[in-house]
Short mmCIF file of all heavy atoms in Angstrom, two decimals:
data_model
loop_
_atom_site.label_atom_id
_atom_site.label_comp_id
_atom_site.label_asym_id
_atom_site.label_seq_id
_atom_site.Cartn_x
_atom_site.Cartn_y
_atom_site.Cartn_z
N VAL A 199 6.69 -5.02 -5.10
CA VAL A 199 5.44 -5.59 -4.57
C VAL A 199 4.90 -6.75 -5.48
O VAL A 199 3.94 -7.37 -5.17
CB VAL A 199 4.35 -4.50 -4.51
CG1 VAL A 199 4.81 -3.37 -3.55
CG2 VAL A 199 3.98 -3.94 -5.86
N SER A 200 5.60 -7.03 -6.59
CA SER A 200 5.15 -8.09 -7.51
C SER A 200 5.10 -9.46 -6.87
O SER A 200 4.34 -10.30 -7.33
CB SER A 200 5.99 -8.07 -8.80
OG SER A 200 7.30 -8.38 -8.49
N GLY A 201 5.89 -9.67 -5.82
CA GLY A 201 5.85 -10.96 -5.13
C GLY A 201 4.77 -11.15 -4.10
O GLY A 201 4.54 -12.17 -3.60
N LEU A 202 4.03 -10.02 -3.82
CA LEU A 202 2.97 -10.08 -2.88
C LEU A 202 1.74 -10.86 -3.43
O LEU A 202 1.48 -10.74 -4.62
CB LEU A 202 2.56 -8.72 -2.40
CG LEU A 202 3.63 -7.92 -1.62
CD1 LEU A 202 3.17 -6.45 -1.40
CD2 LEU A 202 3.92 -8.61 -0.23
N PRO A 203 1.04 -11.54 -2.61
CA PRO A 203 -0.16 -12.32 -3.07
C PRO A 203 -1.17 -11.42 -3.79
O PRO A 203 -1.47 -10.28 -3.30
CB PRO A 203 -0.76 -12.90 -1.82
CG PRO A 203 0.31 -12.86 -0.82
CD PRO A 203 1.22 -11.72 -1.17
N MET A 204 -1.70 -11.84 -4.94
CA MET A 204 -2.75 -11.12 -5.64
C MET A 204 -4.06 -11.46 -5.10
O MET A 204 -4.36 -12.65 -4.82
CB MET A 204 -2.65 -11.36 -7.10
CG MET A 204 -3.48 -10.49 -7.95
SD MET A 204 -3.22 -10.85 -9.75
CE MET A 204 -1.50 -10.58 -9.98
N VAL A 205 -4.99 -10.51 -4.97
CA VAL A 205 -6.27 -10.72 -4.42
C VAL A 205 -7.24 -10.96 -5.59
O VAL A 205 -7.36 -10.16 -6.48
CB VAL A 205 -6.75 -9.51 -3.60
CG1 VAL A 205 -8.19 -9.75 -3.07
CG2 VAL A 205 -5.81 -9.24 -2.42
N PRO A 206 -7.90 -12.14 -5.56
CA PRO A 206 -8.76 -12.41 -6.75
C PRO A 206 -10.15 -11.70 -6.67
O PRO A 206 -10.60 -11.24 -5.52
CB PRO A 206 -9.01 -13.99 -6.64
CG PRO A 206 -8.89 -14.20 -5.19
CD PRO A 206 -7.83 -13.22 -4.62
N GLY A 207 -10.76 -11.60 -7.72
CA GLY A 207 -12.15 -11.08 -7.80
C GLY A 207 -12.17 -9.56 -7.61
O GLY A 207 -11.17 -8.78 -7.78
N GLN A 208 -13.35 -9.09 -7.14
CA GLN A 208 -13.52 -7.65 -6.86
C GLN A 208 -14.13 -7.56 -5.46
O GLN A 208 -15.33 -7.38 -5.26
CB GLN A 208 -14.53 -7.06 -7.87
CG GLN A 208 -14.01 -7.03 -9.25
CD GLN A 208 -14.94 -6.50 -10.34
OE1 GLN A 208 -16.18 -6.68 -10.19
NE2 GLN A 208 -14.44 -5.64 -11.15
N PRO A 209 -13.25 -7.60 -4.46
CA PRO A 209 -13.71 -7.52 -3.04
C PRO A 209 -14.23 -6.11 -2.71
O PRO A 209 -13.95 -5.08 -3.38
CB PRO A 209 -12.48 -7.84 -2.26
CG PRO A 209 -11.38 -7.39 -3.14
CD PRO A 209 -11.79 -7.69 -4.53
N ARG A 210 -15.06 -6.08 -1.63
CA ARG A 210 -15.50 -4.78 -1.09
C ARG A 210 -14.24 -3.96 -0.70
O ARG A 210 -13.31 -4.50 -0.07
CB ARG A 210 -16.36 -4.95 0.10
CG ARG A 210 -16.64 -3.66 0.89
CD ARG A 210 -17.38 -4.02 2.17
NE ARG A 210 -17.55 -2.76 2.97
CZ ARG A 210 -16.72 -2.39 3.96
NH1 ARG A 210 -15.68 -3.25 4.34
NH2 ARG A 210 -16.88 -1.25 4.62
N LEU A 211 -14.23 -2.75 -1.06
CA LEU A 211 -13.20 -1.78 -0.56
C LEU A 211 -13.70 -1.05 0.62
O LEU A 211 -14.83 -0.51 0.62
CB LEU A 211 -12.75 -0.88 -1.68
CG LEU A 211 -12.05 -1.55 -2.88
CD1 LEU A 211 -11.57 -0.44 -3.87
CD2 LEU A 211 -10.88 -2.38 -2.47
N ALA A 212 -12.87 -0.98 1.64
CA ALA A 212 -13.22 -0.34 2.90
C ALA A 212 -12.55 1.06 2.86
O ALA A 212 -11.79 1.39 1.97
CB ALA A 212 -12.64 -1.12 4.11
N PRO A 213 -12.82 1.89 3.90
CA PRO A 213 -12.08 3.16 4.00
C PRO A 213 -10.58 2.79 4.09
O PRO A 213 -10.22 1.87 4.70
CB PRO A 213 -12.57 3.67 5.36
CG PRO A 213 -13.95 3.11 5.57
CD PRO A 213 -13.84 1.79 4.95
N PRO A 214 -9.75 3.53 3.38
CA PRO A 214 -8.33 3.15 3.25
C PRO A 214 -7.51 3.34 4.48
O PRO A 214 -6.34 2.88 4.59
CB PRO A 214 -7.82 4.07 2.09
CG PRO A 214 -8.72 5.23 2.11
CD PRO A 214 -10.05 4.69 2.57
N VAL A 215 -8.05 3.95 5.52
CA VAL A 215 -7.40 4.08 6.82
C VAL A 215 -8.31 3.58 7.94
O VAL A 215 -9.49 3.99 8.01
CB VAL A 215 -6.95 5.54 7.12
CG1 VAL A 215 -6.24 5.62 8.40
CG2 VAL A 215 -6.12 6.11 6.02
N ALA A 216 -7.82 2.69 8.80
CA ALA A 216 -8.58 2.24 9.97
C ALA A 216 -8.30 3.20 11.07
O ALA A 216 -7.25 3.69 11.26
CB ALA A 216 -8.18 0.78 10.26
N GLY A 217 -9.33 3.33 11.99
CA GLY A 217 -9.09 4.05 13.27
C GLY A 217 -8.88 5.50 13.07
O GLY A 217 -8.02 6.03 13.78
N VAL A 218 -9.56 6.14 12.17
CA VAL A 218 -9.40 7.61 12.03
C VAL A 218 -9.74 8.28 13.32
O VAL A 218 -10.83 8.04 13.91
CB VAL A 218 -10.34 8.15 10.92
CG1 VAL A 218 -10.33 9.62 10.82
CG2 VAL A 218 -9.89 7.50 9.56
N GLY A 219 -8.86 9.18 13.82
CA GLY A 219 -9.03 9.82 15.09
C GLY A 219 -10.03 10.97 15.02
O GLY A 219 -10.91 11.13 15.84
N LYS A 220 -9.90 11.81 13.98
CA LYS A 220 -10.81 12.88 13.77
C LYS A 220 -10.91 13.27 12.28
O LYS A 220 -9.94 13.03 11.58
CB LYS A 220 -10.47 14.11 14.56
CG LYS A 220 -9.12 14.70 14.46
CD LYS A 220 -8.90 15.89 15.44
CE LYS A 220 -7.46 16.40 15.41
NZ LYS A 220 -6.51 15.44 16.03
N MET A 221 -12.04 13.79 11.91
CA MET A 221 -12.31 14.12 10.52
C MET A 221 -12.72 15.61 10.56
O MET A 221 -13.79 15.99 11.08
CB MET A 221 -13.42 13.30 9.91
CG MET A 221 -13.53 13.46 8.42
SD MET A 221 -14.58 12.19 7.68
CE MET A 221 -14.61 12.80 5.92
N ILE A 222 -11.86 16.46 9.99
CA ILE A 222 -12.06 17.91 10.03
C ILE A 222 -12.44 18.34 8.63
O ILE A 222 -11.77 17.97 7.61
CB ILE A 222 -10.77 18.62 10.44
CG1 ILE A 222 -10.22 18.08 11.73
CG2 ILE A 222 -10.95 20.15 10.53
CD1 ILE A 222 -8.77 17.96 11.77
N CYS A 223 -13.52 19.07 8.49
CA CYS A 223 -14.04 19.52 7.22
C CYS A 223 -13.92 21.00 7.02
O CYS A 223 -13.96 21.76 8.03
CB CYS A 223 -15.47 19.10 7.01
SG CYS A 223 -15.78 17.35 7.10
N VAL A 224 -13.72 21.46 5.81
CA VAL A 224 -13.58 22.86 5.43
C VAL A 224 -14.79 23.28 4.63
O VAL A 224 -15.07 22.63 3.61
CB VAL A 224 -12.27 23.11 4.65
CG1 VAL A 224 -12.08 24.60 4.35
CG2 VAL A 224 -11.07 22.53 5.35
N GLY A 225 -15.54 24.29 5.03
CA GLY A 225 -16.74 24.76 4.39
C GLY A 225 -16.41 25.89 3.39
O GLY A 225 -15.54 26.74 3.65
N LEU A 226 -17.20 25.92 2.31
CA LEU A 226 -17.18 26.97 1.33
C LEU A 226 -15.78 27.26 0.81
O LEU A 226 -15.41 28.45 0.71
CB LEU A 226 -17.79 28.28 1.98
CG LEU A 226 -19.23 28.09 2.48
CD1 LEU A 226 -19.66 29.36 3.20
CD2 LEU A 226 -20.18 27.70 1.41
N ASN A 227 -14.99 26.27 0.49
CA ASN A 227 -13.65 26.38 0.08
C ASN A 227 -13.47 26.46 -1.43
O ASN A 227 -12.28 26.41 -1.85
CB ASN A 227 -12.75 25.32 0.70
CG ASN A 227 -11.28 25.61 0.63
OD1 ASN A 227 -10.86 26.81 0.74
ND2 ASN A 227 -10.48 24.59 0.39
N TYR A 228 -14.52 26.48 -2.14
CA TYR A 228 -14.48 26.77 -3.58
C TYR A 228 -15.29 28.05 -3.85
O TYR A 228 -16.46 28.13 -3.50
CB TYR A 228 -15.03 25.58 -4.35
CG TYR A 228 -14.16 24.40 -4.47
CD1 TYR A 228 -14.02 23.50 -3.39
CD2 TYR A 228 -13.50 24.04 -5.71
CE1 TYR A 228 -13.11 22.41 -3.47
CE2 TYR A 228 -12.71 22.94 -5.76
CZ TYR A 228 -12.49 22.15 -4.69
OH TYR A 228 -11.69 21.00 -4.72
N ARG A 229 -14.69 28.97 -4.51
CA ARG A 229 -15.33 30.27 -4.73
C ARG A 229 -16.67 30.09 -5.39
O ARG A 229 -17.68 30.74 -5.01
CB ARG A 229 -14.42 31.20 -5.53
CG ARG A 229 -13.06 31.50 -4.91
CD ARG A 229 -12.23 32.39 -5.79
NE ARG A 229 -10.88 32.50 -5.17
CZ ARG A 229 -10.56 33.37 -4.17
NH1 ARG A 229 -11.58 34.16 -3.75
NH2 ARG A 229 -9.40 33.46 -3.72
N ASP A 230 -16.75 29.29 -6.40
CA ASP A 230 -18.01 29.09 -7.16
C ASP A 230 -19.03 28.38 -6.34
O ASP A 230 -20.21 28.53 -6.59
CB ASP A 230 -17.76 28.37 -8.49
CG ASP A 230 -16.59 27.45 -8.49
OD1 ASP A 230 -16.10 27.05 -7.42
OD2 ASP A 230 -16.12 27.09 -9.61
N HIS A 231 -18.59 27.53 -5.43
CA HIS A 231 -19.64 26.83 -4.54
C HIS A 231 -20.13 27.86 -3.54
O HIS A 231 -21.35 27.78 -3.21
CB HIS A 231 -18.95 25.65 -3.84
CG HIS A 231 -19.80 25.01 -2.79
ND1 HIS A 231 -21.09 24.57 -3.08
CD2 HIS A 231 -19.65 24.82 -1.45
CE1 HIS A 231 -21.63 24.07 -1.98
NE2 HIS A 231 -20.88 24.22 -1.03
N ALA A 232 -19.31 28.72 -2.96
CA ALA A 232 -19.81 29.78 -2.08
C ALA A 232 -20.89 30.65 -2.79
O ALA A 232 -21.87 30.99 -2.16
CB ALA A 232 -18.68 30.56 -1.61
N GLN A 233 -20.59 30.93 -4.06
CA GLN A 233 -21.52 31.76 -4.82
C GLN A 233 -22.86 31.06 -5.00
O GLN A 233 -23.93 31.67 -4.84
CB GLN A 233 -20.94 32.15 -6.16
CG GLN A 233 -19.76 33.11 -6.00
CD GLN A 233 -18.92 33.19 -7.33
OE1 GLN A 233 -19.32 32.56 -8.33
NE2 GLN A 233 -17.96 34.05 -7.31
N GLU A 234 -22.87 29.76 -5.31
CA GLU A 234 -24.13 29.06 -5.54
C GLU A 234 -24.88 28.87 -4.22
O GLU A 234 -26.06 28.68 -4.25
CB GLU A 234 -23.85 27.71 -6.19
CG GLU A 234 -23.26 26.62 -5.27
CD GLU A 234 -23.27 25.25 -5.85
OE1 GLU A 234 -23.96 25.02 -7.00
OE2 GLU A 234 -22.63 24.29 -5.35
N SER A 235 -24.14 28.92 -3.09
CA SER A 235 -24.81 28.72 -1.83
C SER A 235 -25.32 30.05 -1.29
O SER A 235 -25.97 30.12 -0.27
CB SER A 235 -23.82 28.19 -0.76
OG SER A 235 -23.37 26.87 -1.24
N GLY A 236 -25.05 31.16 -2.05
CA GLY A 236 -25.49 32.47 -1.56
C GLY A 236 -24.71 32.99 -0.39
O GLY A 236 -25.20 33.80 0.38
N MET A 237 -23.46 32.54 -0.24
CA MET A 237 -22.63 32.91 0.91
C MET A 237 -21.39 33.64 0.50
O MET A 237 -20.92 33.37 -0.63
CB MET A 237 -22.33 31.75 1.83
CG MET A 237 -23.57 30.96 2.34
SD MET A 237 -23.15 29.59 3.40
CE MET A 237 -24.73 28.93 3.71
N ASP A 238 -20.80 34.43 1.35
CA ASP A 238 -19.60 35.15 1.08
C ASP A 238 -18.38 34.16 0.97
O ASP A 238 -18.39 33.16 1.80
CB ASP A 238 -19.31 36.23 2.08
CG ASP A 238 -20.35 37.34 2.03
OD1 ASP A 238 -20.93 37.54 0.96
OD2 ASP A 238 -20.55 37.95 3.11
#
Side-chain angles (χ1 to χ4, degrees):
V199 300
S200 60
L202 294 172
M204 192 178 298
V205 178
Q208 295 181 319
R210 167 188 175 262
L211 295 184
V215 181
V218 173
K220 54 184 174 289
M221 190 169 178
I222 307 141
C223 300
V224 184
L226 303 176
N227 195 35
Y228 284 72
R229 298 179 186 279
D230 29 16
H231 174 55
Q233 291 168 358
E234 75 170 349
S235 301
M237 301 181 184
D238 295 333

